[in-house]
């Protein structure tokens, strides 16, 4: 039943040779490059100041946990990508490895959920919009099934919940150690006032 739903949703969402070329190009840009917002925004938030640094540490914990869970699930429940099965159309070159759950979806949804849980609702909603765009683009281009993205969302939820438990256990000491390392590595820029302490 889930496979039937997966195939039906994929057939509805997947681009075809008749799809507008501009939309395919936009989807390629989103699928390949929009994920870079995760490390860039994490760096900006860290440098922004102490108020945002705990969010960055929790987010990093959540993404690390999510990627481990995603890797395990991919090996326990292997699933071929649509183009490997000869289903639909593929417009983005990709290795024929397992598709479930989507690593891009896992990272994007974990990032968005981190903002929802630990930052502000509006920033979480904005990041969730970015995650949904990434998820749509990768299905649209034929490199993932829709349920790969749902798997990424569920893994992201588990990653954030686990990260919160890890934070309760040793988050303060981890944060203090990272803060000390930051002050040592960035002593000159901090002293010059180029970045915040």
């Amino acid at each position: 039943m889930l496979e039937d739903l997966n195939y039906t949703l994929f057939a509805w969402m997947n681009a075809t040779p008749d799809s507008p070329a501009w939309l395919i190009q936009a989807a390629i840009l989103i699928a390949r490059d929009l994920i870079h917002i995760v490390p860039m925004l994490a760096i900006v938030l860290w440098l922004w100041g102490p108020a945002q640094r705990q969010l960055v540490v929790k987010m990093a914990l959540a993404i690390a946990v999510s990627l481990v869970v995603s890797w395990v699930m991919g090996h326990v429940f292997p699933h071929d990508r649509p183009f490997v099965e000869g289903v639909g159309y593929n417009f983005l070159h990709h290795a024929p490895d397992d598709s479930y759950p989507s690593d891009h979806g896992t990272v994007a949804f974990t990032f968005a959920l981190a903002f929802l849980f630990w930052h502000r609702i509006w920033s979480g909603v904005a990041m969730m919009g970015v995650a949904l765009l990434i998820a749509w683009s990768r299905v649209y281009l034929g490199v993932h099934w829709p349920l790969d993205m749902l798997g990424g969302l569920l893994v992201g939820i588990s990653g954030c919940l686990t990260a919160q438990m890890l934070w309760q256990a040793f988050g303060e000491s981890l944060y203090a150690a990272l803060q000390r390392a930051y002050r040592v590595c960035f002593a000159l820029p901090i002293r010059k006032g180029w970045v915040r302490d």
Side-chain angles (χ1 to χ4, degrees):
M1 183 173 139
L2 279 179
E3 273 304 290
D4 291 339
L5 176 63
N6 214 14
Y7 276 82
T8 301
L9 290 173
F10 180 79
W12 177 66
M13 295 175 70
N14 185 223
T16 70
D18 296 329
S19 298
W22 67 267
L23 190 55
I24 292 172
Q25 289 304 313
I28 289 171
L29 181 69
I30 292 166
R32 271 195 334 225
D33 299 328
L34 198 55
I35 196 72
H36 295 119
I37 196 170
V38 173
M40 289 188 306
L41 196 51
I43 291 167
V44 167
L45 286 170
W46 182 273
L47 295 176
W48 191 264
Q52 308 302 326
R53 290 185 187 144
Q54 287 189 6
L55 169 65
V56 173
V57 175
K58 286 181 179 181
M59 189 185 318
L61 280 172
I63 289 173
V65 168
S66 294
L67 286 173
V68 168
V69 171
S70 175
W71 183 83
V72 170
M73 286 180 68
H75 285 79
V76 173
F77 306 107
H79 197 283
D80 286 334
R81 293 179 184 275
F83 64 86
V84 173
E85 293 187 14
V87 177
Y89 299 93
N90 179 20
F91 295 93
L92 182 66
H93 176 73
H94 201 289
D97 53 358
D98 293 327
S99 69
Y100 181 82
S102 164
D103 288 339
H104 278 76
T106 296
V107 170
F109 284 121
T110 304
F111 189 68
L113 289 165
F115 275 87
L116 275 173
F117 295 151
W118 302 312
H119 197 246
R120 294 181 181 88
I121 294 293
W122 68 265
S123 63
V125 169
M127 291 298 107
M128 191 57 74
V130 170
L132 288 169
L133 268 177
I134 291 170
W136 162 81
S137 69
R138 297 187 73 80
V139 175
Y140 184 74
L141 296 171
V143 294
H144 275 291
W145 300 99
L147 292 185
D148 297 345
M149 296 305 166
L150 179 60
L153 174 63
L154 296 175
V155 169
I157 291 169
S158 71
C160 286
L161 292 174
T162 305
Q164 184 61 36
M165 290 186 283
L166 292 172
W167 182 263
Q168 296 298 330
F170 63 87
E172 293 298 329
S173 58
L174 174 62
Y175 175 71
L178 290 171
Q179 186 72 4
R180 283 192 301 274
Y182 168 72
R183 287 182 176 143
V184 169
C185 294
F186 285 79
L188 179 63
I190 290 170
R191 197 167 50 249
K192 296 276 189 184
W194 297 338
V195 294
R196 295 183 182 182
D197 183 13

